[in-house]
């Protein structure tokens, strides 16, 4: 458990569904290359869980390079700090680096010390060290995070309007925040310049950038 109502792990298989069912989840965020399997989507449908699939390349330990853009992490953070999405389970293929990077940025948003952020991260990885590209990403992470109107109490001790290292923007209330689709797919694409390992994020909040199915 990351925080109350926020859980992390590896890709769930059928043997994990019984445990996930006990968590009474509202949302599952999948940071994986391919669409979730049929049995996974059927489980979400049966348990009335919203599945948010964000297509993220597999992390390669041999090069240790980050596969996210800062803007993508900001959009994912907006999902996991929205109280209406909790309880929430976030996962990648192995539950380590990609999920861990998002959690590290969450901890930075919570004003954790870097030493504590890295210590927690390495509890879930094979290597007891944080790669230089991952640490550089976290230390320089200052993208704009949209703060939902309702956030969990564990985010900050008190509501804030500014952050010492991250740009935050308070989301304005909308007329209807209750309408949610059962499955969302957000896709990444290689830039036209085809620069190796550079990945362009399509904004999650832009309806034109999402493929949705009811």
């Amino acid at each position: 458990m990351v925080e109350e109502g926020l859980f992390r792990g590896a890709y769930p298989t059928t043997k994990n569904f019984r445990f996930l069912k006990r968590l009474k989840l509202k949302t599952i965020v999948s940071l994986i290359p391919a669409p979730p399997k049929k049995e996974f989507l059927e489980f979400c449908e049966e348990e009335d869980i919203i599945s948010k699939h964000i297509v993220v390349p597999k992390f390669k330990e041999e090069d240790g390079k980050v596969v996210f853009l800062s803007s993508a992490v900001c959009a994912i953070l907006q999902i996991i700090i929205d109280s209406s999405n909790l309880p929430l389970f976030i996962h990648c293929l192995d539950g380590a680096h990609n999920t861990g990077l998002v959690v590290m940025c969450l901890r930075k948003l919570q004003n954790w010390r870097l030493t504590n952020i890295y210590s927690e991260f390495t509890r879930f990885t094979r290597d007891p060290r944080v790669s230089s590209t991952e640490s550089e990403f976290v230390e320089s992470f200052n993208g704009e995070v949209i703060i939902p109107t309702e956030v969990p109490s564990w985010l900050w001790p008190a509501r804030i309007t500014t952050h010492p290292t991250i740009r935050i923007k308070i989301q304005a209330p909308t007329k209807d925040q209750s309408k949610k689709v059962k499955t969302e797919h957000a896709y990444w694409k290689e830039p036209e310049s085809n620069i190796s390992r550079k990945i362009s994020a399509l904004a999650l909040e832009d309806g034109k950038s999402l493929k949705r199915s009811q």
Side-chain angles (χ1 to χ4, degrees):
M1 184 169 70
V2 180
E3 292 285 0
E4 183 178 358
L6 179 59
F7 308 90
R8 63 176 288 179
Y11 187 97
T13 60
T14 52
K15 66 180 181 180
N16 305 127
F17 292 167
R18 186 175 180 181
F19 169 74
L20 292 179
K21 187 175 181 178
R22 294 203 300 267
L23 299 179
K24 300 185 184 301
L25 299 170
K26 285 186 180 179
T27 313
I28 296 181
V29 177
S30 304
L31 311 176
I32 53 178
K37 294 180 180 179
K38 181 181 177 181
E39 56 266 29
F40 173 87
L41 295 177
E42 288 177 346
F43 167 76
C44 290
E45 183 70 25
E46 291 171 1
E47 299 301 319
D48 198 28
I49 298 171
I50 296 171
S51 171
K52 294 179 181 286
H53 172 215
I54 301 167
V55 180
V56 179
K58 181 181 179 181
F59 177 84
K60 296 181 179 179
E61 292 193 27
E62 57 268 26
D63 59 34
K65 292 183 179 179
V66 172
V67 296
F68 285 102
L69 284 181
S70 178
S71 57
V73 174
C74 289
I76 297 167
L77 288 177
Q78 183 184 351
I79 295 171
I80 65 179
I81 64 172
D82 188 334
S83 293
S84 67
N85 292 325
L86 304 178
L88 180 149
F89 178 75
I90 183 170
H91 74 91
C92 52
L93 291 175
D94 59 5
H97 290 272
N98 286 344
T99 299
L101 186 76
V102 172
V103 173
M104 282 200 290
C105 291
L106 170 64
R107 296 311 193 191
K108 185 173 183 179
L109 183 62
Q110 291 178 287
N111 290 312
W112 277 34
R113 295 178 181 272
L114 286 174
T115 52
N116 294 337
I117 291 175
Y118 297 151
S119 176
E120 179 186 48
F121 176 81
T122 55
R123 296 206 324 255
F124 298 89
T125 59
R126 299 177 188 175
D127 195 329
R129 299 167 299 174
V130 181
S131 72
S132 59
T133 54
E134 288 170 318
S135 61
E136 288 169 7
F137 184 94
V138 174
E139 289 169 29
S140 63
F141 177 68
N142 65 347
E144 183 178 81
V145 178
I146 298 176
I147 307 302
T149 54
E150 296 293 333
V151 297
S153 59
W154 47 253
L155 182 59
W156 299 307
R159 187 84 175 190
I160 66 173
T161 56
T162 60
H163 192 279
T165 57
I166 298 174
R167 289 178 290 125
I168 62 174
K169 179 180 180 181
I170 307 301
Q171 185 182 54
T174 59
K175 292 182 178 179
D176 183 9
Q177 294 181 321
S178 62
K179 186 177 181 181
K180 292 178 179 288
V181 293
K182 288 296 181 183
T183 305
E184 293 183 357
H185 301 282
Y187 287 82
W188 310 71
K189 65 179 180 180
E190 293 289 345
E192 295 180 2
S193 59
N194 197 31
I195 299 175
S196 177
R197 304 293 299 187
K198 296 287 186 181
I199 297 173
S200 176
L202 298 178
L204 296 180
E205 65 273 14
D206 180 0
K208 295 181 181 179
S209 302
L210 292 172
K211 291 186 177 181
R212 300 178 174 177
S213 59
Q214 195 73 27

